[in-house]
Amino acid sequence: PGMAGAGGPGRKAMDTPQRRAALDRAATVCAAHFGATAAAGATVHKLQAACAPLRSAGSDPSVAAAAVVKFLAALDEGEGASTFELIECGGVEALSAFLSGNDLPKDDVWSEAIAARLSAFVRAASCDLPHRAMSGLVERLLDALAVTEALPMRLSASGAAAGAVAASSRAGAGGGAAGGGLS
């Protein structure tokens, strides 16, 4: 009743000092919190270019090792790539393909070829990368796993288990030691 025409479809926004101030605040918040989106996009594109050769590194172990070292160096450039950027660029899948030798011919010499590739990779990583590069890679891969894995929780259909869960919940809600310290 009192607001009857206040938000009608034909109403135009008026240019008021309050509206201009609100737009200025919105622009400031947008720049502060969403301005990094463009930079993240550029980082993802750079990482995509760096990890693309891993998918088809070939049978020359030194060329393959140089490709993975280049990708790992790109991950550590600047402040380092985030977990999101590692996932979005396809780096996890590219590393998996590289380490699994997916691009190598699956013939009698595959095991020798993958052994030579991995040996060259370890040698190059130890010589050409900072000492924390491999532990940083492991941390990033664990973070990526934590972000992407789904561990569904299923409750037991057993009546005894359901009763134990309910009793544990009641004990934990009371704040006593009977809750196993998980209150």
Side-chain angles (χ1 to χ4, degrees):
M3 306 257 292
R11 182 175 175 147
K12 294 182 181 175
M14 297 191 322
D15 191 22
T16 64
Q18 293 85 3
R19 183 173 185 277
R20 282 193 300 274
L23 288 173
D24 289 342
R25 281 191 302 263
T28 302
V29 167
C30 183
H33 297 285
F34 301 106
T37 303
T43 300
V44 168
H45 287 297
K46 181 181 69 165
L47 291 173
Q48 285 172 333
C51 77
L54 299 182
R55 298 178 198 282
S56 58
S59 58
D60 183 341
S62 60
V63 171
V68 75
V69 165
K70 182 178 177 184
F71 174 63
L72 295 179
L75 283 176
D76 283 336
E77 267 183 28
E79 294 180 16
S82 68
T83 300
F84 169 80
E85 291 164 335
L86 174 62
I87 293 168
E88 285 298 306
C89 79
V92 175
E93 293 85 1
L95 280 169
S96 176
F98 175 85
L99 295 171
S100 301
N102 289 353
D103 63 316
L104 297 173
K106 304 292 189 250
D107 56 15
D108 294 339
V109 294
W110 179 86
S111 61
E112 293 172 18
I114 192 67
R117 173 184 283 185
L118 296 176
S119 177
F121 164 60
V122 170
R123 199 172 24 262
S126 65
C127 295
D128 300 337
L129 291 173
H131 71 282
R132 284 230 352 104
M134 293 306 290
S135 61
L137 174 63
V138 170
E139 288 174 19
R140 282 190 180 96
L141 290 172
L142 289 172
D143 288 346
L145 176 63
V147 167
T148 58
E149 77 178 340
L151 297 174
M153 293 181 59
R154 295 191 176 112
L155 296 176
S156 173
S158 149
V165 169
S168 173
S169 297
R170 285 190 300 272
L182 300 174
S183 57

